[in-house]
Amino acid sequence: MKLVRYGNPGKEKPGLIDAEGKLRDLSAVVKDIGPEQLGDAALDKLRKLKTANLPLVKGSPRMGSPVAGVGKFIAIGLNYADHAAESGLPIPKEPIVFMKATTCIQGPNDPVMLPKGSKKTDWEVELGVVIGTKARYVSQKEALSCVAGYCTINDVSEREYQIERGGTWDKGKGCDTFGPLGPWLVTRDDVPNPQKLDMWLDLNGKRMQTGSTRTMIFSVAKLVSYVSQFMTLMPGDVITTGTPPGVGLGMKPPLYLKKGDVMTLGIEGLGEQQQLVVPFTR
C-alpha cells in the first residue's frame, strides 16, 4: 500500500494511492496515518478495504509528511563507502547515529528554507524507514518485521553548523524544513528487499546523485537492530539511512544551495519529491 497525508499544513487528512495512481480519502476509516495505524493488525485492516469504494480526491492537493506524530527522527551518517570517501572521512566500523529534530519534518514538495546566515546548505537523498512495532534489543533476523514501511527523505544539511560549530551533527541537521518526507509511506509488503532500490537527486535539472541501497555499508535490518540496542524504537519513529555520493560538500569546489534552486529526488517505488529553495523568513 501507498499511504499518504494530504491537505494544508496541520490539517492533513489520511489517504491512499490506489492501483491506478489515484488518491483516495481514508478519513472515514482512520483519523490519521500515525503510530496507532502503523502496526501489522491496523495495516492489515487497511489492506482489506475495497479501494474502489473509497472517495476519490479531486485535484492535486498538497502532500504532507506521510507519517504523523513522529516521536524520534533518527539519522545514520556515512552509510555509503563512496560518500564517506568524498567527505574525506574513514568508513565507519559501527553506524554513526545522530538525531534530526522532529520540527524539521515537512511535506515532500514544501519549500526548503535556508537558515539565517547559512552559506553551506546541502542535499542528501535517503531511504527512510518507518517503525511500526516497538523494537528493543531486536535481532537482525527480526528487525524488518518491526518496520511498517519506507519513504523517500531529503536529509537537508547545513555543513557549517554540522562540522564547524562544535562537532555535534544535530545542529546542522534539524533546521526548519530540513526533513521532507514522502510523498508516500510504502508498506513493507510492497518493498520485498529494501537493499535493492535505486535512488537519485537532481539540482536545477542536473543529476547530482545516482546510487542504490545495494551499496549501503549497514543494511536496514542491521540499522534497526543496532539502534534498538541504544533506544527503544516506537511506532512512528523514522530512521533515515544515509546518502550515496554526489552531495555538494564532496564537489571540487564545494557547491551549496542558494535561493531559487530546485531539488528533485526520488527512490525506486517510493515516489519523488521536489523542493524550491527559499531564503530565511521568520
Side-chain angles (χ1 to χ4, degrees):
M1 286 186 298
K2 295 176 179 177
L3 300 175
V4 301
R5 298 173 64 252
Y6 68 96
N8 293 330
K11 297 182 179 180
E12 292 92 345
K13 295 181 179 180
L16 62 77
I17 305 298
D18 67 18
E20 298 178 351
K22 297 178 180 178
L23 175 58
R24 301 275 180 171
D25 181 36
L26 282 175
S27 297
V29 182
V30 292
K31 63 180 181 180
D32 211 337
I33 306 297
E36 295 179 2
Q37 292 79 36
L38 296 175
D40 287 346
L43 292 176
D44 284 342
K45 289 182 180 179
L46 294 180
R47 289 188 188 96
K48 293 175 182 177
L49 294 172
K50 294 183 178 179
T51 55
N53 294 336
L54 296 171
L56 274 172
V57 179
K58 296 180 180 179
S60 300
R62 168 191 173 268
M63 290 293 174
S65 164
V67 186
V70 175
K72 294 189 288 296
F73 195 1
I74 304 154
I76 307 299
L78 304 178
N79 196 27
Y80 291 73
D82 34 15
H83 173 54
E86 73 173 352
S87 301
L89 295 168
I91 296 173
K93 295 180 180 179
E94 293 190 45
I96 296 172
V97 179
F98 60 93
M99 307 294 284
K100 286 178 73 78
T102 56
T103 49
C104 80
I105 294 172
Q106 64 169 16
N109 303 314
D110 294 341
V112 164
M113 181 176 66
L114 297 171
K116 189 174 183 179
S118 167
K119 296 179 180 179
K120 297 183 179 181
T121 296
D122 205 348
W123 57 86
E124 295 190 10
V125 59
E126 303 198 3
L127 172 66
V129 179
V130 180
I131 302 299
T133 303
K134 182 178 178 180
R136 182 169 177 261
Y137 293 103
V138 67
S139 68
Q140 286 192 56
K141 184 177 180 180
E142 298 170 329
L144 293 187
S145 67
C146 299
V147 173
Y150 304 90
C151 65
T152 301
I153 294 179
N154 189 355
D155 175 22
V156 186
S157 309
E158 213 297 343
R159 302 302 190 187
E160 181 187 13
Y161 299 178
Q162 176 190 354
I163 300 169
E164 303 171 35
R165 299 287 296 275
T168 54
W169 286 19
D170 308 54
K171 285 185 276 189
K173 296 286 191 168
C175 303
D176 290 349
T177 76
F178 273 24
L181 270 63
W184 317 305
L185 168 63
V186 181
T187 52
R188 74 170 188 269
D189 55 308
D190 281 343
V191 186
N193 189 344
Q195 303 309 145
K196 290 186 177 181
L197 302 175
D198 293 332
M199 54 207 305
W200 56 272
L201 182 144
D202 292 348
L203 178 64
N204 300 324
K206 181 180 179 181
R207 183 60 45 94
M208 310 303 282
Q209 290 186 274
T210 302
S212 170
T213 57
R214 295 173 179 84
T215 64
M216 278 185 178
I217 299 168
F218 305 107
S219 68
V220 171
K222 170 66 177 179
L223 292 175
V224 172
S225 175
Y226 183 86
V227 173
S228 79
Q229 316 302 309
F230 302 98
M231 63 191 82
T232 300
L233 296 172
M234 299 297 292
D237 287 350
V238 175
I239 302 175
T240 189
T241 58
T243 197
V247 301
L249 173 68
M251 296 185 177
K252 300 184 186 303
L255 176 67
Y256 296 114
L257 296 169
K258 63 184 186 303
K259 173 186 174 182
D261 283 345
V262 176
M263 295 175 283
T264 309
L265 58 145
I267 299 178
E268 180 182 355
L270 304 184
E272 298 183 9
Q273 304 183 352
Q274 186 173 90
Q275 298 107 26
L276 173 67
V277 178
V278 300
F280 173 81
T281 56
R282 292 189 182 275

